[in-house]
Amino acid sequence: MEPWPVYPGEELVRDVRILYSDIRATVEKVVEDVVLNGVITRFSDMVGVGNLHKITGLRKQDADDIVILWKKGHRMTEAHLQAMNKDMPVAGLEEIKTDVASIQLLVDNVNKYRAKPAEA
């Protein structure tokens, strides 16, 4: 994507929207695998109640960061009809890099600050 043009063309705008669709899906997967520690799996009827002890200590800041990234991905994606956002400019290259890096930082923070599960 470098060098980033002053006025991104339609193809680049579409590519960025697809990227943010992937970011949104990645955030959802982080919630499933890291935050909920595999206890709840999307598109499954099963809840791993026996593993509930694995879900501990999510900080408010991490929860807020999840919502911010997810909403941004939701807003930027083409997966939903959003006529009011049709002409909304997409993120620039530095913002994209920051958002992608934020996903790894989020995972690192959840793992770092997670309270240790109680011993059974």
Side-chain angles (χ1 to χ4, degrees):
M1 293 183 178
E2 293 188 52
W4 191 261
V6 175
Y7 301 106
E10 286 182 33
E11 185 175 341
L12 182 56
V13 167
R14 184 175 28 81
D15 289 346
V16 171
R17 292 196 189 284
I18 291 169
L19 173 67
Y20 274 91
S21 181
D22 290 344
I23 286 174
R24 188 185 73 167
T26 301
V27 169
E28 290 173 356
K29 192 68 175 151
V30 165
V31 169
E32 181 181 336
D33 292 346
V34 179
V35 176
L36 297 177
N37 225 357
V39 173
I40 297 175
T41 305
R42 293 178 297 162
F43 312 115
S44 172
D45 294 336
M46 191 179 103
V47 175
V49 176
N51 291 322
L52 201 54
H53 67 281
K54 292 181 179 180
I55 302 176
T56 58
L58 182 65
R59 299 179 315 152
K60 182 179 183 327
Q61 182 62 55
D62 296 327
D64 292 347
D65 291 345
I66 289 168
V67 171
I68 288 167
L69 278 169
W70 183 84
K71 281 184 176 180
K72 191 173 199 177
H74 185 76
R75 188 181 76 241
M76 293 265 188
T77 185
E78 292 182 329
H80 302 282
L81 178 61
Q82 297 182 2
M84 66 182 177
N85 291 336
K86 182 179 177 191
D87 294 324
M88 183 182 81
V90 295
L93 185 57
E94 292 308 311
E95 186 176 2
I96 292 168
K97 288 178 180 180
T98 298
D99 289 340
V100 170
S102 293
I103 295 170
Q104 185 61 55
L105 180 61
L106 172 65
V107 169
D108 292 344
N109 282 337
V110 169
N111 286 325
K112 178 179 178 182
Y113 293 107
R114 178 189 316 268
K116 301 300 177 214
E119 294 297 318

